[in-house]
Amino acid sequence: MNVTFLFKNRYSVLFSFVAVFISASFLIRLGLVTATIEKTHFSFLSIFRIFTQGLFYDLGVSVFLVLLYSLYLFLLPQCFIKSWFNIFMSYTGLLLMLIIVVFSFFAELTFWQEFESRFNFIAVDYLVYTYEVINNINESYPLPLLIGGVLLISVFILWLLIKKGVFKTAFESDTPLKIRGLISGTIIFLALFFSLFVRNSWAEEGNNRFHDELAKAGIYSIFAAFKNNELNYNQFYQLLNEPEAYRLIRAELQEANSSYLSSSRSIKRKISGSGSTYKPNVIMITVESLSADFMSHFGNKERLTPVLDSLASANLLFTNMYATGTRTVRGMEALSLAIPPTPGSSVVRRPKNDSLTTIGNIFEKAGYERTFYYGGDGYFDNMNQYFGSNGYNITDRGRKVMAGDNYLTKRTIITDEQVHFENAWGISDGDLYDAVIRGSDEQFEKGKPFYSFIMTTSNHRPFTYPNGKIDIPSGTGRSGALRYTDYAIGQFIKEIRMKPWFKNTVVIIVADHCASSAGKNEIDISKYHIPCLVLNLPDAKKREVNKVCSQIDLYPTLFSLFGWSYESNLYGKDVLAAGYVPRILLGTYQKLAYLKRDSLVVLSPQQKVSTFIYDKKTNEQQPKSFSGNVLKEAIANYQTAYDLFKNGGLHQ
C-alpha cells in the first residue's frame, strides 16, 4: 500500500497533523542539539541514536494525540462525512491539537533553557502550582506575545493544510468500514503498545545525560513523570537483606560519643555532648539556588557576592558541602530531617510526614520556639503543611490556603503594607528579612530562645527585585538577582547587629541547591557543590572545614559545637569528629548516588547499579567495577531511609 493512500481518505486531516507534528519535533530536536553542541561531544552514532530514538518517541506522542480523533473517524457514519457537524469537529479539533502542540514546543524550549532537560517531574509539579508558574512565565517572558505567537502559528499551519486540500479530501472521501477499522485499530494498538511497553527510561541507557535528554520527547516525558511520581525503593532498587542493611548503616553512623537506644530496626541513638553547653538563637537563611561557584571564594571572578565572600573570610565556612538534590524541597528535607534523598517526591511533599524527628524537634526539646519563614505562599510544595504539622509556626505571604491544611501551629501573614516588592514567587528577600526581624523581636520579648528556618526566593527566575538597591537593573538575569540576594543578606546582618538578641544568635547561610544540575553526567557531582557559612559563633575566628560533607551533616556538626546532648534519628554526622569519614549522598528524582572518597555508586530503577571512580579536579566519572563495603553502604543508606520513613521509624 502506498503511504500516500493515508492522505487520500477521511483520515487525511489526522495523518497531516501527524506529519506536521513529527516534522516540527525534528526541528525542535535539531535546534536543541545545535544549542547544546558546545557542552558535549556528538559522534555520528550518538546523532543517529538521538534522532532515531526521538522519532520513535515522537511517533508515540502523535499516536496518543490523535487517538480520540481516530475513534471518532471510525465511528462517524458516511452520511455525516459532509455534515456541518463533522466540518466543525474537524476544523476545531485540528486547531485545538495544533495549539496544544505549538504551546508545548514553546514550553519545552523555555524548560530546557532553565533545566537543560526534557519535561520531568518538576514540570509535573508546576502543573499543580498554576498561580506561581503562570505569573513567573508572565514576568519572565512577554506572555501576550507568546500566546499570540502560539495562536498565529497554529492558525498559519491550519491555513497551509487547508490550502493543501486535506479537508477537502477528508470531506469528500468514501472510506470503507474495513479500512477505517484497519487504520483506527492500528492506532489503538500502537497506543496500547507505547503505554504498556515503551518506557521513557529507554532513552536513559546512554553514557551522556545530554544525549539521553535530546532523544526523549517532551510530552512523552511529562506523562512518564506523572505516572512515576512516586517510586517504591523496595520494588525498583537493589536491596540487601534487612538485618545486613541495618547492621551496615548503624556501623556507619556510630560515633565515639553515641550509643544506640535499641537493637532493633532503628538508628535512634543518644549523642553525648562535651564541654560547656551553648544555647544561642539560631537563624538559618536557606538561599535559593546558591551555587558555590557564584562566590569569589570558590573562584568566581565577577564579584557577584561581596557580602558573602567577606563573611566567609571571617567565620566558619564549609568549603566542600554538597546538596542532596536539585530542588528546594530536597534542600528542605535535608536541612530539616538530615536524611538521604529517597526516590520520588521529597518527604516534604509526601503524605504522613507529620510529627517526624526533625531538627526542629531537637530544638523543641531544648526549649526553643520554631518558625518557618517564606516570602511566597507556603501552600506551594506543601511547605506550610509539612512545617506546621512538625511544630513550626508559619510566617508567609498567605494569599492562599490549601483545603487539606490541618496543622495547629500559629500562622502569621505578611500584609500588603509590609511588602515593598513582590513577584510571582513571593516578596523580595529584603521584605522577608524585615518579617524575620519582627518575629525575632517578639520571640526575644517572650524570653525563649528561637530557631528560624528562612527560605528566600529572590535568586529565582524572573530575577526581579526592588529598583535602586544595586547597580544592575531588575529582571536582566541571574547576575543581578545574585547581587541583590547578597545585598539583602548584608543589610539583614547590619540591622540585626543592633538588636539586643544578636550577641546570642548564630546565623547560618546555606543553599537549598545549586542554580543548575545539568551536566554531562546524569548526576554531575560539581553541580551539587554549595556554600555554607556559620556566623557569630563564640570566639569565632576564620576557620575552614575542608572535609567533603553533605547538607545532612550541618546540624550534627553544629550541635557538637554547641556541646549538646540529644536524641538523634539523623543520618548526618559531626564533620569535625576525629573519626569522620568523608562521604556524600545526593540524587535526582530516580537516580541515587553515594560518594565515599573517590568511589561513586549510582543506584537506578530496575535494580541497576553503576560504579565509577570520581576525579574531583576534573569532575570526571570513569566507569569502574567494584563491590564490597562501599556498594553495600550506598544501598544500606537509601534502603533503610526509605524503610524508616514508610514504616514510621522517622516519627517521634
Side-chain angles (χ1 to χ4, degrees):
M1 181 186 297
N2 192 318
V3 73
T4 59
F5 166 78
L6 299 175
F7 298 90
K8 295 180 179 179
N9 55 49
R10 67 164 62 186
Y11 289 83
S12 64
V13 173
L14 183 151
F15 285 112
S16 295
F17 169 79
V18 171
V20 168
F21 174 79
I22 289 178
S23 299
S25 296
F26 171 82
L27 293 176
I28 292 292
R29 186 169 286 106
L30 180 62
L32 293 177
V33 168
T34 303
T36 316
I37 203 162
E38 293 182 357
K39 297 185 178 182
T40 188
H41 302 288
F42 290 107
S43 65
F44 173 79
L45 287 178
S46 65
I47 292 289
F48 179 77
R49 177 202 160 209
I50 287 169
F51 284 96
T52 52
Q53 275 191 317
L55 176 62
F56 187 70
Y57 279 115
D58 291 340
L59 176 63
V61 174
S62 65
V63 164
F64 290 123
L65 288 172
V66 301
L67 180 60
L68 289 178
Y69 187 44
S70 72
L71 289 172
Y72 166 79
L73 292 174
F74 171 70
L75 296 172
L76 183 70
Q78 184 62 35
C79 61
F80 286 105
I81 198 71
K82 295 182 180 181
S83 67
W84 281 106
F85 174 77
N86 183 43
I87 293 171
F88 173 80
M89 291 294 291
S90 297
Y91 278 102
T92 304
L94 179 60
L95 181 60
L96 181 61
M97 287 192 294
L98 288 172
I99 290 172
I100 292 171
V101 167
V102 174
F103 179 81
S104 74
F105 286 150
F106 272 107
E108 191 169 357
L109 291 173
T110 56
F111 192 84
W112 185 277
Q113 182 185 30
E114 180 77 9
F115 299 103
E116 292 186 313
S117 168
R118 295 287 191 172
F119 290 139
N120 54 29
F121 74 100
I122 297 175
V124 174
D125 284 352
Y126 280 6
L127 289 176
V128 176
Y129 302 106
T130 53
Y131 175 84
E132 283 81 0
V133 174
I134 291 173
N135 280 279
N136 182 39
I137 293 171
N138 187 41
E139 293 171 3
S140 302
Y141 306 97
L143 195 55
L145 291 178
L146 181 62
I147 295 173
V150 169
L151 293 175
L152 187 62
I153 292 172
S154 302
V155 171
F156 177 72
I157 296 172
L158 180 65
W159 176 79
L160 281 179
L161 294 176
I162 293 172
K163 292 289 288 184
K164 289 290 184 181
V166 296
F167 286 96
K168 183 179 179 181
T169 302
F171 299 148
E172 294 181 356
S173 64
D174 184 3
T175 309
L177 183 63
K178 181 179 179 180
I179 299 298
R180 284 149 49 192
L182 177 63
I183 296 174
S184 293
T186 301
I187 292 172
I188 294 170
F189 170 79
L190 288 174
L192 289 172
F193 171 77
F194 274 95
S195 62
L196 295 175
F197 300 108
V198 181
R199 296 186 177 91
N200 205 47
S201 58
W202 175 52
E204 299 171 356
E205 296 177 357
N207 296 318
N208 187 297
R209 194 196 68 83
F210 281 112
H211 295 187
D212 296 345
E213 293 298 322
L214 290 166
K216 296 177 183 178
I219 296 176
Y220 205 96
S221 294
I222 198 170
F223 278 99
F226 183 83
K227 181 180 178 182
N228 299 312
N229 203 31
E230 286 197 14
L231 288 174
N232 184 314
Y233 184 92
N234 296 334
Q235 180 179 351
F236 289 101
Y237 293 82
Q238 189 165 127
L239 298 169
L240 301 172
N241 65 70
E242 189 177 281
E244 182 180 19
Y246 276 95
R247 178 184 62 79
L248 286 168
I249 194 61
R250 286 163 67 96
E252 182 177 331
L253 296 179
Q254 182 71 60
E255 295 174 288
N257 63 337
S258 69
S259 57
Y260 283 100
L261 300 175
S262 169
S263 59
S264 63
R265 192 173 69 181
S266 170
I267 63 165
K268 285 185 179 180
R269 56 207 187 276
K270 177 69 175 179
I271 306 293
S272 300
S274 60
S276 59
T277 301
Y278 176 47
K279 289 184 63 174
N281 307 308
V282 178
I283 296 175
M284 181 174 67
I285 302 172
T286 311
V287 183
E288 171 70 37
S289 304
L290 182 65
S291 303
D293 57 17
F294 288 149
M295 292 178 59
S296 299
H297 204 93
F298 297 97
N300 191 288
K301 305 298 183 183
E302 300 177 61
R303 286 190 52 79
L304 298 171
T305 57
V307 171
L308 289 176
D309 283 307
S310 176
L311 293 172
S313 299
N315 291 279
L316 179 65
L317 172 69
F318 291 85
T319 62
N320 276 304
M321 182 174 284
Y322 289 78
T324 62
T326 60
R327 295 215 52 212
T328 295
V329 284
R330 279 298 186 200
M332 287 180 170
E333 176 187 82
L335 294 168
S336 65
L337 283 171
I339 63 171
T342 48
S345 298
S346 163
V347 168
V348 175
R349 301 190 66 246
R350 293 185 192 177
K352 299 181 180 178
N353 62 3
D354 60 304
S355 303
L356 297 172
T357 50
T358 62
I359 300 298
N361 181 238
I362 295 172
F363 277 105
E364 179 189 25
K365 290 180 178 179
Y368 282 67
E369 283 203 6
R370 297 148 297 148
T371 307
F372 170 65
Y373 292 90
Y374 182 57
D377 294 317
Y379 84 97
F380 185 81
D381 267 341
N382 200 48
M383 290 187 285
N384 278 359
Q385 178 62 28
Y386 170 74
F387 283 100
S389 63
N390 282 288
Y392 292 75
N393 292 319
I394 306 294
T395 296
D396 74 332
R397 189 66 174 99
R399 290 176 297 198
K400 292 187 178 181
V401 177
M402 291 297 282
D405 286 356
N406 56 15
Y407 55 88
L408 300 177
T409 53
K410 176 185 175 184
R411 186 183 188 189
T412 301
I413 305 301
I414 302 171
T415 65
D416 292 345
E417 294 75 20
Q418 296 166 338
V419 175
H420 301 93
F421 181 88
E422 190 167 16
N423 64 19
W425 291 106
I427 63 178
S428 67
D429 287 359
D431 287 336
L432 177 61
Y433 295 141
D434 287 343
V436 175
I437 292 172
R438 289 192 298 271
S440 301
D441 286 341
E442 292 177 7
Q443 290 167 322
F444 177 70
E445 290 298 322
K446 295 178 182 177
K448 292 182 67 175
F450 55 85
Y451 168 58
S452 301
F453 190 126
I454 306 165
M455 186 65 238
T456 72
T457 58
S458 288
N459 190 34
H460 192 294
R461 190 177 295 278
F463 307 132
T464 54
Y465 41 85
N467 290 319
K469 302 297 183 182
I470 60 171
D471 58 2
I472 301 176
S474 172
T476 55
R478 171 81 69 181
S479 294
L482 271 167
R483 282 283 299 279
Y484 172 73
T485 297
D486 183 75
Y487 162 84
I489 290 174
Q491 293 300 111
F492 175 65
I493 299 298
K494 184 184 298 184
E495 289 188 46
I496 65 174
R497 285 187 191 279
M498 308 301 293
K499 295 293 182 178
W501 44 263
F502 177 74
K503 61 182 179 181
N504 189 45
T505 299
V506 168
V507 179
I508 304 167
I509 303 172
V510 64
D512 58 348
H513 56 83
C514 287
S516 171
S517 61
K520 175 182 177 181
N521 302 299
E522 179 69 23
I523 293 183
D524 196 305
I525 304 297
S526 69
K527 300 294 186 177
Y528 292 75
H529 185 202
I530 59 171
C532 179
L533 296 77
V534 183
L535 317 180
N536 208 35
L537 285 166
D539 303 318
K541 297 181 180 179
K542 177 183 177 181
R543 181 179 186 183
E544 290 189 356
V545 178
N546 295 317
K547 295 179 181 178
V548 171
C549 62
S550 167
Q551 274 175 320
I552 68 175
D553 300 317
L554 171 58
Y555 280 99
T557 304
L558 196 66
F559 292 150
S560 175
L561 289 171
F562 291 172
W564 284 14
S565 296
Y566 61 99
E567 185 177 301
S568 173
N569 206 16
L570 316 175
Y571 279 73
K573 301 181 69 176
D574 176 13
V575 179
L576 300 177
Y580 173 76
V581 178
R583 58 85 187 90
I584 55 174
L585 300 109
L586 43 86
T588 63
Y589 175 62
Q590 293 187 342
K591 294 184 183 294
L592 310 170
Y594 179 81
L595 176 65
K596 186 175 183 180
R597 297 187 178 92
D598 65 349
S599 298
L600 174 63
V601 179
V602 179
L603 308 176
S604 306
Q606 284 75 53
Q607 291 78 45
K608 182 179 177 182
V609 177
S610 303
T611 53
F612 307 86
I613 297 298
Y614 177 64
D615 187 331
K616 186 175 185 294
K617 290 182 179 179
T618 62
N619 194 40
E620 290 290 328
Q621 302 174 14
Q622 295 298 329
K624 174 75 173 180
S625 295
F626 58 80
S627 57
N629 280 344
V630 175
L631 177 58
K632 289 183 177 181
E633 286 170 8
I635 298 170
N637 270 277
Y638 291 110
Q639 180 179 337
T640 58
Y642 179 84
D643 180 69
L644 288 172
F645 176 72
K646 294 297 288 186
N647 294 295
L650 295 182
H651 285 75
Q652 298 174 27

